[in-house]
């Protein structure tokens, strides 16, 4: 069985995960030469194991200095001391994120995008709101927001280890522009000088190098928010329509928040992440050899019956729903666990308190991606 498949081609990946947890929680996929880890316990063990690191991208001489700087500096892609520096920088930047502007952003997005009281939730809201929330938190102006929103889908190819020549050409151009835009805005932030001083003195790194770490990791927040944020907003809305809202006409924010958290466990936007073994790793009586690749199937761990009672049932009342692995675990765990839940809760609350909403169309189709399960479009009527 291949552990790697396009989410667009599999109707229900969860039945595969259930079977693998039971029969092969640590599975050698001979076709793809990768270990796939399915159970909750072993996924956590790999994510917390310092010998399981982020796989390096193969060198590509055609990438320009801006793409290379971003890739080299991102917390998401680094390990060891470099990761410590990048993560501290990203964490300080992240602490300045604000969700207070979400209402206003939603108002504008709905005004612009609803034609005949119908809206494609994915294109109009999900692909824009998370990124705009990051950009507005750091005072990016309208013109620069527009450029980034228009180019973010292509720019995300920066996270693909292998890039075609055509992708490299587009990436070089967009990355230079996004890098320079971000540098211009970061210099104006009130905490910028103190951030530079802190990182350069804590780790004895030149100011010039720290500038590049700061710019890259602010870009990292934009990158990380796009696919995952889009998927959470989409999948939460779909779950809302699938499950009965117990409150009928009255919309309760606490209930929406619980539903968003259970969606993160039950139907997460991100399904897996990858590691490489930098030393032999023992797991379930099996040796994962140094240099072997590892696929950590977070979405399978979320359905592990040993960790979540009645794991195949969507249940907002289950006590440990919040222990899902959708944001990862260990050193590389996502910074935005609470932020993302708040963003999705606010967005759904806004939608249901401002409109009478119904779902149009049939079952969702998914993007042809291996690591993320993202609906292509969700049409809704808003009256
Ligand atoms: C539903 C929304 C989100 C999900 C499901 C998600 C998921 C994840 C996961 C699984 C990782 C760890 C990857 C790994 O260990 O290989 C991660 C890392 C990260 N996420 Fe998120 N994320 C979300 C939203 C965001 C947002 C909105 C931001 C920032 C604004 C963000 C910033 C980051 C950063 C900076 C890292 C890298 C941390 C590190 O490597 O030290 N994420 N995210």
């Amino acid at each position: 069985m291949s552990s790697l498949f396009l989410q667009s081609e599999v109707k229900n990946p969860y039945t595969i995960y259930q079977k693998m947890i039971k029969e092969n929680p640590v599975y050698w996929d001979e076709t793809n030469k990768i270990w796939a880890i399915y159970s909750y316990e072993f996924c956590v063990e790999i994510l917390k194991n310092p010998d399981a690191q982020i796989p390096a991208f193969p060198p590509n001489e055609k990438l320009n200095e801006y793409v290379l700087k971003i890739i080299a500096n991102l917390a998401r892609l680094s390990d060891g001391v470099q990761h410590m520096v990048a993560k501290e920088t990203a964490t300080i930047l992240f602490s300045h994120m604000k969700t207070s502007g979400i209402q206003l952003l939603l108002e504008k997005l709905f005004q612009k995008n609803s034609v005949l009281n119908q809206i494609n939730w994915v294109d109009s809201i999900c692909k824009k709101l998370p990124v705009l929330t990051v950009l507005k938190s750091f005072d990016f102006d309208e013109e620069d927001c527009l450029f980034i929103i228009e180019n973010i889908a292509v720019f995300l190819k920066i996270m693909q280890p292998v890039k075609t020549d055509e992708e490299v050409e587009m990436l070089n151009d967009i990355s230079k522009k996004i890098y320079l835009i971000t540098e211009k805005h970061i210099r104006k932030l009130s905490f910028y000088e103190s951030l530079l001083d802190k990182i350069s003195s804590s780790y004895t790194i030149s100011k010039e190098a720290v500038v590049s770490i700061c710019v890259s990791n602010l870009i990292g927040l934009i990158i990380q928010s796009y696919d995952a944020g889009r998927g959470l907003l989409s999948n939460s809305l779909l779950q809302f329509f699938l499950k009965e809202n117990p409150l009928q006409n009255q919309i309760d924010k606490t209930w929406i928040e619980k539903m968003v958290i259970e969606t993160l466990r039950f139907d997460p936007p991100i399904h897996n992440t990858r590691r490489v073994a930098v030393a032999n790793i023992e797991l379930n009586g099996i040796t994962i050899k140094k240099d072997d690749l590892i696929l950590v199937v977070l979405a399978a761990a979320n359905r592990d019956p040993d960790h979540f009672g009645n794991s195949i049932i969507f249940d907002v009342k289950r006590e440990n729903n919040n222990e899902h692995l959708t944001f990862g675990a260990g050193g590389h765990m996502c910074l935005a666990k609470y932020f993302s839940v708040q963003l999705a809760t606010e967005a759904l609350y806004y939608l249901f308190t401002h409109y009478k909403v119904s779902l149009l169309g049939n079952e969702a189709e998914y993007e042809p991606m291996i690591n993320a399960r993202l609906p292509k479009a969700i049409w809704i009527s808003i009256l």
Side-chain angles (χ1 to χ4, degrees), residues 4-5 7 23 54 57 60 105 119 123 154 193 211-212 233 246 250 254 265 269 273 285 324 334 336 354:
L4 304 179
F5 52 82
Q7 293 291 342
E23 295 172 8
I54 306 286
F57 284 8
N60 184 333
L105 283 174
I119 190 167
D123 277 354
V154 175
E193 286 301 328
V211 171
S212 163
L233 286 164
Q250 190 200 346
T254 313
R265 181 195 75 84
T273 187
H324 62 76
C334 183
H354 284 75

Side-chain angles (χ1 to χ4, degrees), residues 87-293:
K87 179 136 192 164
E88 186 171 340
T89 309
T91 306
I92 295 172
L93 288 166
F94 184 76
S95 70
H96 292 269
M97 295 264 297
K98 300 170 221 140
T99 45
S100 52
I102 289 178
Q103 287 266 345
L104 198 63
L105 283 174
L106 281 163
E107 245 165 61
K108 284 191 190 159
L109 291 174
F110 273 100
Q111 261 167 24
K112 249 194 237 165
N113 291 291
S114 60
V115 182
L116 296 172
N117 298 325
Q118 292 188 358
I119 190 167
N120 178 354
W121 177 245
V122 175
D123 277 354
S124 306
I125 309 294
C126 309
K127 288 184 183 175
K128 294 183 178 140
L129 182 68
V131 172
L132 284 175
T133 307
V134 178
L135 297 176
K136 291 286 177 194
S137 292
F138 297 102
D139 300 329
F140 281 50
D141 58 44
E142 291 296 324
E143 194 187 337
D144 292 338
C145 286
L146 194 66
F147 178 81
I148 292 175
I149 288 288
E150 277 174 357
N151 289 283
I152 183 83
V154 175
F155 181 57
L156 244 77
K157 303 219 179 291
I158 200 168
M159 300 305 274
Q160 277 176 202
V162 180
K163 300 161 179 82
T164 64
D165 283 354
E166 200 189 330
E167 284 166 354
V168 168
E169 207 178 308
M170 286 190 293
L171 262 181
N172 282 344
D173 183 41
I174 296 172
S175 302
K176 179 177 177 185
K177 290 189 184 134
I178 293 190
Y179 191 96
L180 296 175
I181 287 174
T182 308
E183 190 175 20
K184 175 181 80 184
H185 287 292
I186 210 171
R187 284 186 192 282
K188 292 189 218 153
L189 297 173
S190 58
F191 60 92
Y192 177 62
E193 286 301 328
S194 68
L195 172 61
L196 286 191
D197 288 343
K198 180 154 197 329
I199 301 295
S200 69
S201 61
S202 301
Y203 298 97
T204 35
I205 309 175
S206 73
K207 281 258 174 89
E208 197 195 337
V210 180
V211 171
S212 163
I213 296 170
C214 291
V215 174
S216 304
N217 280 289
L218 181 46
I219 293 174
L221 297 185
I222 302 167
I223 292 175
Q224 294 295 129
S225 67
Y226 180 66
D227 274 344
R230 160 191 170 178
L232 177 59
L233 286 164
S234 304
N235 295 355
S236 302
L237 183 65
L238 289 180
Q239 287 305 323
F240 187 94
F241 285 117
L242 287 172
K243 312 297 151 196
E244 225 168 281
N245 174 8
L247 299 158
Q248 302 284 330
N249 299 323
Q250 190 200 346
I251 298 294
D252 176 55
K253 219 185 224 183
T254 313
W255 185 83
I256 293 181
E257 185 179 15
K258 284 188 178 162
M259 199 210 57
V260 168
I261 293 170
E262 176 62 340
T263 302
L264 280 161
R265 181 195 75 84
F266 188 79
D267 190 18
I270 304 296
H271 273 225
N272 55 63
T273 187
R274 296 184 192 213
R275 295 292 187 268
V276 59
V278 295
N280 285 358
I281 295 174
E282 300 297 327
L283 199 67
N284 200 26
I286 295 167
T287 305
I288 295 178
K289 294 221 178 63
K290 181 174 180 293
D291 298 329
D292 281 353
L293 291 171

